[in-house]
Amino acid sequence: MSSHATDQARVIPLRPVAAAAAPSPDAAASPPSGAGEPREPLWRHLVGDVLRRERLAQERTLKDVAEAARISMPYLSELERGRKEASSEVLAAAARALGLGLADLLALSHGELTRPGRTHTRRAPIGQERPGPGRGGSGSYEARLLAA
């Protein structure tokens, strides 16, 4: 090894990055400053919002739902706040504890993503729309994107 070698790796950014900007934990979800595009929501935030909204609509406690789902109360809280990425098994258990199926949780999260107040949703390119059983149905292009 030569004495001129450094211990630093060379990093080649895929996108232009502001030199003074320090990356945040959610930096992958936000566009570079000045890009003009609205921020894409993170999946864990959408799912967490749906879980919390459904639990509160049923007037149930974190403890009650966590016990029914057989997950810890702190972990369920972390899921609802969008701080943890849950496995499909954990999401299915939480949904089941709320009387929902995993498909219901997906559909409700999809509804959050595509609700009219959001300005940036993923749509099929023009000419590549795929038929499905109604807008937002399980056969729609958007639902398949989220399921992938």
Side-chain angles (χ1 to χ4, degrees), residues 38-99:
R39 182 179 174 154
E40 280 283 354
L42 295 176
W43 178 247
R44 67 179 188 251
H45 292 159
L46 291 170
V47 171
D49 289 344
V50 169
L51 289 173
R52 176 166 283 174
R53 187 176 59 245
E54 290 298 314
R55 179 179 61 80
L56 293 175
Q58 295 176 18
E59 298 180 352
R60 294 176 66 189
T61 64
L62 268 172
K63 182 179 181 187
D64 175 43
V65 175
E67 286 176 354
R70 298 181 57 115
I71 58 178
S72 75
M73 193 171 64
Y75 189 68
L76 179 58
S77 175
E78 294 277 300
L79 291 177
E80 286 187 355
R81 290 184 286 144
R83 297 194 177 221
K84 295 287 184 187
E85 291 278 354
S87 68
S88 58
E89 291 88 356
V90 170
L91 290 177
R96 218 175 10 259
L98 291 166

Side-chain angles (χ1 to χ4, degrees), residues 13 15 23 76 97 110 118 122 126:
R15 296 182 189 178
L76 179 58
H110 173 258
R118 292 213 185 270
R122 298 189 84 168
I126 295 174

Side-chain angles (χ1 to χ4, degrees), residues 90-114:
V90 170
L91 290 177
R96 218 175 10 259
L98 291 166
L100 304 170
L102 193 54
D104 299 320
L105 183 61
L106 174 69
L108 291 167
S109 299
H110 173 258
E112 278 292 305
L113 184 63
T114 59

Side-chain angles (χ1 to χ4, degrees), residues 17 20-31 39 42 44:
V17 185
S24 68
D26 294 337
S30 61
R39 182 179 174 154
L42 295 176
R44 67 179 188 251

